[in-house]
Amino acid sequence: MAEIWKEVDRYVIESLHAPDPAGEAALAANAAAGLDPIDVAPHQGKFLHLLARLCQARRILELGTLGGYSTIWLARSLPPGGQLVTLELEPAHAAVAQQNINRAGFASSVEIRVGPALSSLAQLTGPFDLIFIDADKQTYPQYLEHALRLSRPGTVILCDNVIRRGGIIDPQHSDVRVQGIRRLFEMVKNDSRLDATALQTVGAKGHDGFLLAVVNP
Ligand code: SAH
Ligand code: DHB
Ligand code: MG
């Protein structure tokens, strides 16, 4: 099963994507620096990019930079003068990301803030047009609260890795990350400011998925 998922990923990317030397260089630099290959897949990156274009995002916020692969996809959507702020706990990840972002030509539109996302978030003022939550999963509930504070009606909030190989359907799951995501779903469901759904994904990155929410008028 997993083999055909990977082949379909490859087919999608080969048929629909332009060559992406900057993205490939970032992934190679990440591997050389020993970062875990937990970036979004290329077509997921392009999906983020298209979403940002669809909502004509001028200010984008990302939680969890790693080597900046998703950051680069999002930064590509920005109009002139647009800005992306990305939050990363690990200085070593941020250093690799900064080089990748510079090489991709986004040094002036992307700002990396190093430290625990909750501390960085407390320093930020909104509104952002699109917020991509992809840092530590157990803290997603608190990240959602900040995302709402930093939103305006129409802001798009996208959360990565919310399916966890189906783990999220188990109320007794022992993984704090799964519990964090279940709490996130409950918060989203009970918050009249948000309209949301989630989509499963399969492919080279396994069985996972995104939660997509929009802030209501
Ligand atoms: N968005 C990236 C992948 C992010 S992986 C991409 O798709 O290319 C998750 C990242 O979140 C890791 O780099 C990890 O160091 C970071 N992280 C974990 N806990 C964090 C925290 N408390 N604050 C900020 N970043 C955190
Ligand atoms: C993990 C984190 C991610 O952001 C991801 O896309 C996949 C896995 C992790 O922490 O294991
Ligand atoms: Mg992720």
Side-chain angles (χ1 to χ4, degrees), residues 90-150:
E90 299 291 342
H93 296 183
V96 176
Q98 188 67 66
Q99 288 206 329
N100 288 336
I101 288 160
N102 294 352
R103 198 183 312 106
F106 298 110
S108 60
S109 50
V110 172
E111 181 192 349
I112 306 177
R113 297 206 183 178
V114 183
L118 284 177
S119 311
S120 301
L121 283 163
Q123 308 299 317
L124 287 174
T125 51
F128 288 89
D129 307 309
L130 183 144
I131 301 175
F132 178 48
I133 300 179
D134 194 20
D136 50 316
K137 316 308 168 197
Q138 63 271 30
T139 316
Y140 276 21
Q142 286 127 286
Y143 294 154
L144 179 68
E145 283 173 358
H146 278 281
L148 280 161
R149 177 179 64 79
L150 295 168

Side-chain angles (χ1 to χ4, degrees), residues 103 184 190:
R103 198 183 312 106
L184 172 81
N190 293 321

Side-chain angles (χ1 to χ4, degrees), residues 36-121:
D36 286 339
I38 55 173
D39 343 68
V40 291
H43 54 315
Q44 294 171 343
K46 190 159 186 191
F47 180 78
L48 300 183
H49 165 83
L50 292 170
L51 268 184
R53 282 183 58 191
L54 280 168
C55 65
Q56 298 178 46
R58 298 188 58 86
R59 289 193 82 205
I60 297 176
L61 174 63
E62 176 179 69
L63 283 62
T65 316
L66 190 65
Y69 184 71
S70 55
T71 317
I72 289 168
W73 273 113
L74 287 167
R76 286 174 172 148
S77 72
L78 290 170
Q83 181 198 24
L84 188 157
V85 178
T86 182
L87 312 181
E88 174 54 51
L89 175 65
E90 299 291 342
H93 296 183
V96 176
Q98 188 67 66
Q99 288 206 329
N100 288 336
I101 288 160
N102 294 352
R103 198 183 312 106
F106 298 110
S108 60
S109 50
V110 172
E111 181 192 349
I112 306 177
R113 297 206 183 178
V114 183
L118 284 177
S119 311
S120 301
L121 283 163

